[in-house]
């Protein structure tokens, strides 16, 4: 977690620039205005920076590491922030994730989904989840491959304490806009394929600071933006 804080105004200026970028991409690519939600990725940034974004009206925040996220969630307790877990999931961390987060984007195997289902406290609504797809079938990357996706989706969809919402993707980084679009298109087609099977999914979590426009062009409903809001991370994670 970063210790230095930065002027709240610079976060708010960048946040408004990201909102404007999302709105213009919605318009340019024929998307319904307001149909792309903004998840602010606050990993490595302190509570003060999250509060600066909250002051500017941001309510959804994404974190990648449980240990880093827990003190922030405790410091900001009160239910007015929606917390999204977007990082790799170790099975010894599922209990904390099930208790403290509202959404999980990074489910890539059934054993993790079952643990989250079993550990979601009865007093809380079902945990909203997305399956992370390894769209490039990159061997070193997390995510379920296309071949295993339908079986995993069917199994997760019936878990009563989870609400399967859609897919998340973290495609290989490239500056090439057409190449970005092509990867995101495959994620959208995968979601459409699952919906033909009757799963009723409504969420495509894709697009980061460097590729949000291509993601919106291909149907993203939630973009996950870190550095364009908070600045570039000193630690690259
Ligand atoms: C860090 C991270 C992001 C945000 O990346 P930026 O390039 O800083 O916008 C989005 N999604 C995931 C899964 C991440 O780990």
């Amino acid at each position: 977690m970063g210790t230095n804080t930065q002027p709240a105004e610079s976060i708010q200026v960048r946040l408004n620039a990201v909102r404007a970028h999302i709105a213009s991409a919605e318009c340019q690519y024929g998307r319904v205005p307001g149909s792309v939600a903004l998840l602010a990725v606050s990993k490595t940034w302190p509570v003060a920076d999250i509060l600066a974004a909250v002051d500017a009206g941001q309510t959804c925040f994404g974190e990648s590491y449980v240990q880093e996220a827990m003190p922030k969630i405790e410091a900001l307790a009160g239910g007015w922030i929606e917390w999204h877990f977007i990082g790799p999931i170790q099975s010894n961390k599922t209990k904390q994730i099930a208790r403290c987060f509202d959404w999980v984007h990074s489910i890539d195997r059934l054993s993790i989904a079952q643990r989250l289902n079993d550990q979601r406290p009865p007093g809380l609504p079902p945990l909203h989840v997305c399956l992370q797809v390894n769209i490039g079938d990159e061997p070193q990357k997390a995510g379920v491959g296309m071949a295993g996706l339908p079986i995993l989706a069917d199994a997760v969809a019936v878990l009563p304490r989870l609400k399967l919402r859609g897919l998340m993707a973290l495609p290989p980084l490239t500056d090439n806009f057409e190449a970005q679009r092509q990867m995101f298109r495959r994620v959208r087609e995968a979601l459409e394929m699952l919906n033909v099977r009757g799963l009723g999914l409504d969420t495509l979590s894709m697009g980061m600071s460097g590729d949000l426009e291509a993601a919106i062009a291909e149907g993203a409903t939630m973009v996950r933006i870190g550095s364009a809001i908070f600045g570039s991370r000193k630690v690259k994670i």
Side-chain angles (χ1 to χ4, degrees):
M1 195 188 311
T3 46
N4 293 338
T5 186
Q6 46 184 327
E9 307 84 70
S10 39
I11 290 174
Q12 289 160 2
V13 165
R14 287 190 298 254
L15 182 58
N16 283 325
V18 169
R19 287 171 174 154
H21 194 177
I22 291 171
S24 78
E26 284 171 342
C27 178
Q28 183 173 354
Y29 297 100
R31 303 287 311 277
V32 174
S35 59
V36 181
L38 172 57
L39 180 65
V41 177
S42 47
K43 67 184 179 199
T44 80
W45 300 104
V47 165
D49 291 349
I50 296 175
L51 281 172
V54 167
D55 279 345
Q58 180 65 29
T59 53
C60 305
F61 291 86
E63 289 283 339
S64 293
Y65 296 93
V66 174
Q67 243 152 305
E68 186 202 333
M70 294 310 297
K72 296 186 197 177
I73 294 176
E74 275 160 34
L76 296 164
W80 36 277
I81 290 182
E82 189 177 275
W83 291 103
H84 293 236
F85 190 79
I86 62 174
I89 307 175
Q90 295 160 319
S91 55
N92 63 351
K93 296 289 183 352
T94 53
K95 192 165 187 173
Q96 282 169 302
I97 295 172
R99 287 175 175 215
C100 298
F101 285 83
D102 303 290
W103 280 69
V104 175
H105 293 227
S106 41
I107 289 179
D108 63 357
R109 56 196 190 278
L110 185 56
S111 60
I112 291 292
Q114 272 162 341
R115 290 179 68 89
L116 290 169
N117 179 71
D118 295 346
Q119 294 168 337
R120 180 69 168 170
L124 294 178
L127 185 62
H128 298 273
V129 302
C130 292
L131 305 180
Q132 182 173 352
V133 288
N134 184 353
I135 212 72
D137 279 315
E138 299 170 278
Q140 77 284 11
K141 272 252 178 100
V144 58
M146 294 309 279
L149 177 61
I151 294 164
L152 179 60
D154 286 347
V156 172
V158 298
L159 294 174
R161 300 295 294 142
L162 304 185
K163 171 99 186 102
L164 181 59
R165 296 293 300 270
L167 302 178
M168 185 272 253
L170 200 60
L173 288 178
T174 162
D175 290 338
N176 183 295
F177 184 72
E178 278 312 314
Q180 292 173 355
R181 276 193 75 155
Q182 214 167 56
M183 299 304 285
F184 290 133
R185 188 174 312 139
R186 288 165 62 182
V187 188
R188 172 169 53 79
E189 287 167 355
L191 188 92
E192 286 164 359
M193 175 267 289
L194 295 175
N195 279 340
V196 167
R197 299 161 60 89
L199 288 180
L201 307 179
D202 62 9
T203 301
L204 275 174
S205 165
M206 57 189 197
M208 316 203 306
S209 295
D211 55 14
L212 83 161
E213 198 166 315
I216 290 170
E218 292 299 338
T221 64
M222 200 182 292
V223 291
R224 308 179 310 269
I225 309 296
S227 48
I229 297 172
F230 294 105
S232 51
R233 291 178 292 276
K234 288 160 202 93
V235 199
K236 198 75 201 159
I237 55 171

